[in-house]
Amino acid sequence: MNSTKLKQAADLIRKAKYAVAFTGAGISVESGIPPFRGENGLWNKTNPNFLEIEFFKKKPFQSWQKIKEIFYDNLGDAEPNAAHEILAKMEKRSFLETIITQNIDHLHQKAGSKYVYELHGTYKQLVCTECSSEFDMSFADLNYLPPTCYICKGILKPDMVFFNEPIPHFAKKRSFEEAEKADVLLIIGTNAEVLPAADIPVKAKEHGAKIIEINIKPSHFTDTITDIFLEMKATEAMKEIGQLLYL
Ligand code: APR
């Protein structure tokens, strides 16, 4: 069943004029990073309010304690998996133009992908809440929380989009432009619950793109915009697609 659909998916990608990937937390699960929702989902165990922007501003120390525990104590050791690596190979061989990701784990770049739009920012950078100066996270000693700005002593915040914060303008603008140009969109590992990110694949569909979706279970996209649904793990499906494209 999947083999026919895998061949159809590889064919679409091979013949595509402008293929774009749209990824969510599911692509990083096999790198050891838990998803936010569904089985083993982070939000099943942890109240997400520590990532709400007003909470952060009022209680930066408590917020940073959870941020450090959940993101910085774990993400540093995470390595890209086969799905990230095959997307990077697809870019090198011009089978893929760009990746639009909701993930903040930097694993696409670590795998070698160059054209990546991070809709929800990145954990790799810290930004000052007072003077907006930016620092690589390696500059911060997270044994002293909250970290403060080297220039103005303001409180530093991870350069990730918190709940009730707007998406970075440039990433949002370019992501919708990419969606409008795509004739094939490869969606990997997203529940499609969070807006405006989930509007991007819908925009691609509206502009005529064929939608290939990889997920271990149906998402909100599957019965609405998806043309080829590969009910598989990201690494399994991408390894098969990589072989069919002779990567
Ligand atoms: N392979 C493919 N898909 C998988 C795998 C896997 N190995 N494991 C889980 N999934 C799928 C799940 O079935 C689910 O549909 O990945 C999806 C993960 O969904 P979420 O955890 O909701 O992640 P995402 O859709 O990226 O969330 C969007 O919500 O909390 C915010 O900012 C956060 O960027 C995040 C946004």
Side-chain angles (χ1 to χ4, degrees):
M1 173 64 163
N2 274 332
S3 61
T4 312
K5 292 203 279 184
L6 280 160
K7 285 195 185 78
Q8 287 167 345
D11 246 2
L12 275 181
I13 292 166
R14 192 181 298 111
K15 292 174 185 148
K17 290 186 185 62
Y18 203 91
V20 172
F22 180 86
T23 66
I27 197 172
S28 297
V29 165
E30 291 158 274
S31 291
I33 300 172
F36 294 98
R37 300 171 187 83
E39 195 183 337
N40 194 26
L42 189 62
W43 301 148
N44 303 347
K45 298 173 270 201
T46 309
N47 181 333
N49 76 328
F50 74 95
L51 269 186
E52 201 279 328
I53 189 63
E54 292 313 319
F55 180 92
F56 178 84
K57 286 176 184 167
K58 285 194 196 86
K59 302 183 174 175
F61 177 71
Q62 286 93 313
S63 182
W64 258 108
Q65 280 185 309
K66 289 303 280 180
I67 289 169
K68 176 178 181 300
E69 174 203 327
I70 287 172
F71 296 106
Y72 290 88
D73 290 351
N74 296 315
L75 289 184
D77 314 329
E79 288 299 325
N81 61 48
H84 298 103
E85 285 160 0
I86 286 158
L87 285 177
K89 284 183 186 163
M90 286 170 64
E91 178 193 274
K92 280 192 190 72
R93 290 276 306 280
S94 304
F95 284 123
L96 188 74
E97 302 298 330
T98 46
I99 295 173
I100 301 163
T101 189
Q102 300 170 89
N103 300 341
I104 50 100
D105 57 31
H106 202 71
L107 291 183
H108 286 300
Q109 294 92 330
K110 231 175 170 179
S113 292
K114 291 185 178 47
Y115 302 100
V116 182
Y117 293 106
E118 295 172 306
L119 276 176
H120 294 163
T122 176
Y123 88 110
K124 293 279 284 177
Q125 288 275 95
L126 304 181
V127 61
C128 177
T129 54
E130 299 294 332
C131 70
S132 303
S133 301
E134 292 200 358
F135 304 93
D136 185 275
M137 68 172 196
S138 56
F139 278 86
D141 177 357
L142 296 184
N143 293 310
Y144 301 92
L145 299 176
T148 50
C149 176
Y150 299 92
I151 295 162
C152 76
K153 298 289 170 241
I155 288 175
L156 295 178
K157 169 184 169 295
D159 198 11
M160 302 160 20
V161 177
F162 279 39
F163 289 108
N164 296 327
E165 248 197 322
I167 278 193
H169 172 72
F170 178 73
K172 183 178 172 186
K173 177 174 175 295
R174 290 293 297 113
S175 297
F176 277 98
E177 287 168 356
E178 290 299 293
E180 291 176 15
K181 284 165 72 176
D183 58 339
V184 172
L185 186 79
L186 175 58
I187 301 174
I188 308 176
T190 182
N191 225 15
E193 282 197 24
V194 169
L195 294 174
D199 285 338
I200 288 167
V202 174
K203 179 65 78 177
K205 183 75 178 184
E206 284 167 359
H207 280 73
K210 284 287 183 199
I211 309 290
I212 302 163
E213 183 185 9
I214 298 169
N215 200 316
I216 54 171
K217 64 180 177 37
S219 74
H220 296 281
F221 288 140
T222 312
D223 291 338
T224 51
I225 62 169
T226 297
D227 295 298
I228 299 177
F229 180 50
L230 299 167
E231 194 158 8
M232 302 169 76
K233 286 186 176 179
T235 55
E236 288 166 4
M238 287 310 292
K239 278 179 196 163
E240 296 284 344
I241 289 173
Q243 276 176 5
L244 290 162
L245 295 175
Y246 303 103
L247 292 181

